[in-house]
Amino acid sequence: MREWSGDTVTGLTSHAADIRDAKRVLEVVQEARPEWIVLAAAYTDVDGCESKPELAFAANRDGAVNVAAAAKQVGARLVFLSSDYVFDGKKTTPYETGEARNPQSVYGRTKAEAEIRLLELMPDCCIARTSWLFGVGGKCFPDTILKLAASRPALDVVNDQRGSPTYAEDLARAIIQLCRKNATGIVHATNAGDCTWFEFAEEIVKSSGLATTVRPVSSQQMARPAPRPAYSVLSPARLRTLGIEMPSWHDALRRYLEQRQRMS
Ligand SMILES: NC(=O)c1ccc[n+]([C@@H]2O[C@H](COP(=O)([O-])OP(=O)(O)OC[C@H]3O[C@@H](n4cnc5c(N)ncnc54)[C@H](OP(=O)(O)O)[C@@H]3O)[C@@H](O)[C@H]2O)c1
């Protein structure tokens, strides 16, 4: 909402429309009559999805179908936010957009099934897969690390999951361009470069001038209910064919830290 200018943009919260409610979704879409709908809403608690699969599929897959059906009814285009977790993480080179999905978690399955259903229902929709989002004003990895680092001499962070941290502001700019360029199909939209969570945490602590030691640990040592892909770097090749380039995650982190400082 902050990034978009020059167009009329309506922001809808879960209170305005629960995407599981097809009738309500159609009502709000008919009222707004948008040219584009950006669907970012989802049940994003990856571990919660393991214990609440019904809620996860109802929101992430069926809710997305409800929004796509409403978009179709009013002739709106759709950008659907999807995830690197649709892949199994067994590769060691970046995933291209056309590679086979093989999600390992309930959350990943909900997103993979949503993608398939949306492409059937609305072949010209745009699916923007992203990863490891962070941004000001909400709970995110850098914010958690900084809060913990302020009170602890050492932090343990997993060093066997590799991905691309992505600044919400940069993703928002990419989404706006996708709409302006009438993009269709699957695109990967992440900040450039990759790292492990440990390397990301080290950079956050170092860039903030904190003395906290960051120690690498394995995913096994920090067991979580949902499995995470060991490698989920997404290739920007398709995004580049659309003339869209995203900055490096190092640059994005620097801007995030400046913005966080300004807002504190
Ligand atoms: N975070 C990541 O690292 C990441 C990575 C890859 C892809 N993505 C995707 O990017 C998108 C944004 O992620 P995020 O991390 O910014 O999400 P988030 O902070 O968890 O926000 C999700 C939003 O969806 C709303 N929502 C949840 N269930 C809903 C429902 N049934 N009806 C209507 N609204 C509902 C929530 O509203 P309430 O707060 O009111 O419940 C919340 O405002 C999601 O589609 C996510 O799957 C995220």
Side-chain angles (χ1 to χ4, degrees):
M1 293 290 291
R2 279 198 302 267
E3 289 302 316
W4 214 309
S5 60
D7 296 292
T8 305
V9 188
T10 307
L12 294 172
T13 66
S14 58
H15 302 288
D18 186 318
I19 57 172
R20 291 171 295 174
D21 181 348
K23 190 167 159 273
R24 181 69 192 139
V25 168
L26 183 59
E27 271 170 17
V28 293
V29 169
Q30 277 177 332
E31 204 173 304
R33 292 253 154 206
E35 284 169 67
W36 280 91
I37 296 174
V38 177
L39 177 56
Y43 177 46
T44 59
D45 177 349
V46 176
D47 292 321
C49 285
E50 296 293 313
S51 53
K52 294 182 188 148
E54 277 177 26
L55 169 61
F57 279 103
N60 297 356
R61 179 195 57 201
D62 305 340
V65 168
N66 291 339
V67 175
K72 207 171 164 177
Q73 192 138 339
V74 302
R77 299 284 317 281
L78 176 70
V79 178
F80 171 66
L81 266 292
S82 190
S83 165
D84 54 334
Y85 285 15
V86 300
F87 294 119
D88 58 21
K90 292 183 180 146
K91 281 188 72 189
T92 52
T93 54
Y95 283 92
E96 298 296 339
T97 52
E99 290 194 54
R101 304 171 186 92
N102 188 21
Q104 301 295 295
S105 60
V106 171
Y107 171 76
R109 275 171 43 217
T110 65
K111 287 289 184 180
E113 290 187 23
E115 288 187 2
I116 294 165
R117 298 278 291 275
L118 293 195
L119 287 167
E120 282 165 4
L121 186 70
M122 204 184 212
D124 71 345
C125 74
C126 178
I127 292 171
R129 291 186 188 135
T130 190
S131 64
W132 296 24
L133 289 181
F134 64 96
V136 285
K139 198 175 156 237
C140 64
F141 183 80
D143 187 60
T144 304
I145 291 294
L146 289 171
K147 282 182 179 148
L148 291 174
S151 61
R152 291 191 197 175
L155 297 174
D156 292 342
V157 183
V158 292
N159 195 29
D160 54 6
Q161 292 167 30
R162 181 165 290 278
S164 300
T166 302
Y167 190 22
E169 247 182 55
D170 291 337
L171 176 62
R173 290 190 190 128
I175 290 170
I176 295 165
Q177 290 189 69
L178 287 170
C179 295
R180 300 229 157 109
K181 287 167 187 275
N182 268 316
T184 62
I186 301 172
V187 297
H188 290 163
T190 70
N191 277 127
D194 57 77
C195 58
T196 65
W197 290 111
F198 161 74
E199 290 164 351
F200 191 26
E202 259 199 325
E203 189 64 29
I204 293 162
V205 168
K206 195 177 84 189
S207 306
S208 309
L210 294 164
T212 311
T213 306
V214 184
R215 294 181 301 221
V217 294
S218 69
S219 302
Q220 234 178 358
Q221 286 171 278
M222 304 278 265
R224 309 271 294 270
R228 268 76 172 168
Y231 181 93
S232 64
V233 181
L234 304 177
S235 163
R238 169 93 217 286
L239 196 70
R240 285 198 182 129
T241 65
L242 293 161
I244 305 171
E245 197 79 41
M246 292 179 69
S248 74
W249 69 261
H250 284 97
D251 180 69
L253 177 62
R254 184 187 49 76
R255 285 178 284 120
Y256 163 81
L257 292 172
E258 283 169 8
Q259 175 84 343
R260 190 174 183 272
Q261 187 81 33
R262 274 198 298 276
M263 290 179 68
S264 65

